[in-house]
Amino acid sequence: DTNNNTNNAKNNNATTSKGHGHQQVKLQFRLQSLRLWIRQSLCSMKILVLLVLCFQNSLFTLLRRYSQGVLKETYSKYEVLLVGEVIKMLYSAYMIRGTLLLNTAQSLPLQQQDSSLSLKKRLYFIISKSHKMLVLALIYG
């Protein structure tokens, strides 16, 4: 009788181990699928950003050439470029602020929200980590 109990316990452990192993395989498959989906999403996001930037730069060039060539308007193309970049920075700061407000609204009670401090910290972090982009911007300008 003791041998039967021992054999039953071994069989139950083996079945549990097989079931646990099957769950691990399913979990690993799901993780691999998630990683693949994230990579594809990031890749498609990069392509979208690239296409939008190409469209923006092409449109800027065409409008500038039309206004100076056909309409004979006189202005510095560098000043227009600078104003365009400032507008993009202000829009980016606005979007970061909106994201921070959304995140804090979902996670904190209304009394504890201080989004202006978070915005300042986030913008400071972005500015402090963008030395390479500053060099490229100076070369571009």
Side-chain angles (χ1 to χ4, degrees):
D1 194 34
T2 306
N3 288 338
N4 286 340
N5 287 339
T6 306
N7 288 338
N8 287 337
K10 287 180 183 178
N11 288 338
N12 286 338
N13 286 340
T15 305
T16 305
S17 296
K18 288 179 186 178
H20 184 67
H22 182 67
Q23 288 176 346
Q24 284 181 331
V25 169
K26 286 175 70 174
L27 181 63
Q28 287 175 349
F29 177 74
R30 287 182 183 168
L31 285 174
Q32 287 174 345
S33 298
L34 180 63
R35 287 183 190 130
L36 179 63
W37 180 79
I38 290 171
R39 272 189 250 138
Q40 289 172 345
S41 297
L42 289 176
C43 184
S44 62
M45 181 61 76
K46 288 177 185 178
I47 290 173
L48 177 66
V49 168
L50 177 65
L51 292 174
V52 168
L53 285 174
C54 287
F55 176 74
Q56 176 205 0
N57 288 334
S58 300
L59 188 63
F60 169 75
T61 302
L62 290 173
L63 289 175
R64 183 181 50 81
R65 296 285 303 245
Y66 174 74
S67 69
Q68 287 184 334
V70 175
L71 301 177
K72 304 295 183 199
E73 296 176 336
T74 56
Y75 55 84
S76 170
K77 62 182 177 182
Y78 300 109
E79 290 174 0
V80 172
L81 182 63
L82 178 65
V83 170
E85 294 301 317
V86 169
I87 290 171
K88 283 193 275 186
M89 283 190 275
L90 291 175
Y91 180 74
S92 296
Y94 173 76
M95 293 303 291
I96 290 170
R97 179 178 173 269
T99 303
L100 289 173
L101 284 175
L102 181 64
N103 289 341
T104 55
Q106 290 175 349
S107 63
L108 295 174
L110 291 175
Q111 302 91 333
Q112 297 177 350
Q113 291 183 12
D114 188 10
S115 62
S116 61
L117 182 61
S118 297
L119 178 63
K120 289 177 186 176
K121 285 181 180 179
R122 183 69 182 155
L123 291 176
Y124 178 75
F125 174 78
I126 290 171
I127 291 169
S128 67
K129 299 295 181 186
S130 58
H131 301 295
K132 293 178 184 178
M133 293 305 295
L134 178 63
V135 171
L136 292 174
L138 291 174
I139 291 171
Y140 180 68

